[in-house]
Amino acid sequence: MEPNSDKKHVWDKVNKWEEELLFLKSIIDKTELVETIKWGASIYVYNKRNVIGLGGFKDYFAIWFLNGVFLKDEKKRLINAQEDKTKSMRQWRFTSKDEVNEKEVLEYILEAIENEKQGKIIKPSKKETIVSELLQKEMDLNPALAEAFQKFAPYKQYEFLEYIETAKQEKTKLTRIEKVIPMILGNVGLNDKYR
């Protein structure tokens, strides 16, 4: 039996990289970023805006720059983890603490903060409309649901659709729809509790 196999928690890869992530945190602590926890990971914010995140994965640990697309990346450290999906986020992966060059990491982070101060962000393009056929079916069957959904601001509608459609399996999509229907009917946005 594996140790900890009964303990399921959100980000279970951190332990493997504990020392490395603490080292990265010590570098980030030299900046004006403030640490918060979002999506089960350490996210560093400037002026309530997410700038960078840290996490450990199976084969590497990484800093991700949430608006990394604007970084000059002269040293070619950054990768786009999901070419087709991710517009602005970039990742810098490491497989050992020795790979972390404090001066370089700091330069990138300071540039990211500067970009944030200048308000450089990619505005979500309008064409990326998400369609959820399953939710549409529910709304066709339930006019009150359709009406309630229309009352939400477009970005809140988008959050619901994205939440449903990012599930890989139909069964998960249906579970998510079941979860959001009472929220939609109650006029509660998906992320309202974080706002």
Side-chain angles (χ1 to χ4, degrees), residues 21 41 53 82 86 126-127 135 140 150 192:
L21 290 169
Q82 295 179 294
T86 311
K126 284 282 178 260
K127 66 179 187 296
L135 183 62
D140 293 344
Q150 289 311 317
D192 282 4

Side-chain angles (χ1 to χ4, degrees), residues 105-166:
V105 169
L106 212 47
E107 275 170 25
Y108 273 68
I109 295 171
L110 292 172
E111 187 189 344
I113 296 170
E114 194 46 50
N115 288 343
E116 207 55 60
K117 288 179 179 174
Q118 291 170 19
K120 288 186 182 175
I121 53 168
I122 288 186
K123 297 272 186 287
S125 55
K126 284 282 178 260
K127 66 179 187 296
E128 287 182 63
T129 315
I130 297 179
V131 176
S132 170
E133 287 171 21
L134 295 167
L135 183 62
Q136 192 55 54
K137 267 185 201 154
E138 291 290 334
M139 291 198 284
D140 293 344
L141 296 169
N142 183 345
L145 180 66
E147 197 180 322
F149 188 73
Q150 289 311 317
K151 287 181 183 158
F152 284 102
Y155 76 95
K156 288 192 176 186
Q157 292 180 2
Y158 185 89
E159 286 174 347
F160 281 120
L161 293 167
E162 185 179 44
Y163 172 65
I164 294 164
E165 289 303 311
T166 48

Side-chain angles (χ1 to χ4, degrees), residues 49-180:
R49 298 190 60 85
N50 304 332
V51 181
I52 55 176
L54 285 187
F57 297 85
K58 191 165 140 246
D59 302 317
Y60 61 91
F61 59 102
I63 297 184
W64 57 91
F65 294 86
L66 294 138
N67 275 314
V69 66
F70 296 112
L71 294 169
K72 293 188 202 83
D73 193 19
E74 282 158 4
K75 303 206 166 59
K76 300 284 173 270
R77 301 289 187 238
L78 306 179
I79 59 162
N80 185 344
Q82 295 179 294
E83 278 300 342
D84 50 340
K85 291 192 179 135
T86 311
K87 296 265 182 287
S88 41
M89 186 158 50
R90 296 291 180 270
Q91 252 187 14
W92 187 345
R93 295 180 177 178
F94 307 95
T95 51
S96 81
K97 191 174 158 186
D98 305 335
E99 288 177 17
V100 180
N101 175 327
E102 180 169 345
K103 185 172 161 286
E104 267 182 33
V105 169
L106 212 47
E107 275 170 25
Y108 273 68
I109 295 171
L110 292 172
E111 187 189 344
I113 296 170
E114 194 46 50
N115 288 343
E116 207 55 60
K117 288 179 179 174
Q118 291 170 19
K120 288 186 182 175
I121 53 168
I122 288 186
K123 297 272 186 287
S125 55
K126 284 282 178 260
K127 66 179 187 296
E128 287 182 63
T129 315
I130 297 179
V131 176
S132 170
E133 287 171 21
L134 295 167
L135 183 62
Q136 192 55 54
K137 267 185 201 154
E138 291 290 334
M139 291 198 284
D140 293 344
L141 296 169
N142 183 345
L145 180 66
E147 197 180 322
F149 188 73
Q150 289 311 317
K151 287 181 183 158
F152 284 102
Y155 76 95
K156 288 192 176 186
Q157 292 180 2
Y158 185 89
E159 286 174 347
F160 281 120
L161 293 167
E162 185 179 44
Y163 172 65
I164 294 164
E165 289 303 311
T166 48
K168 294 198 171 37
Q169 295 180 348
E170 182 154 320
K171 132 173 143 246
T172 314
K173 288 182 185 180
L174 290 166
T175 311
R176 289 183 178 183
I177 286 174
E178 276 167 37
K179 184 183 161 188
V180 300

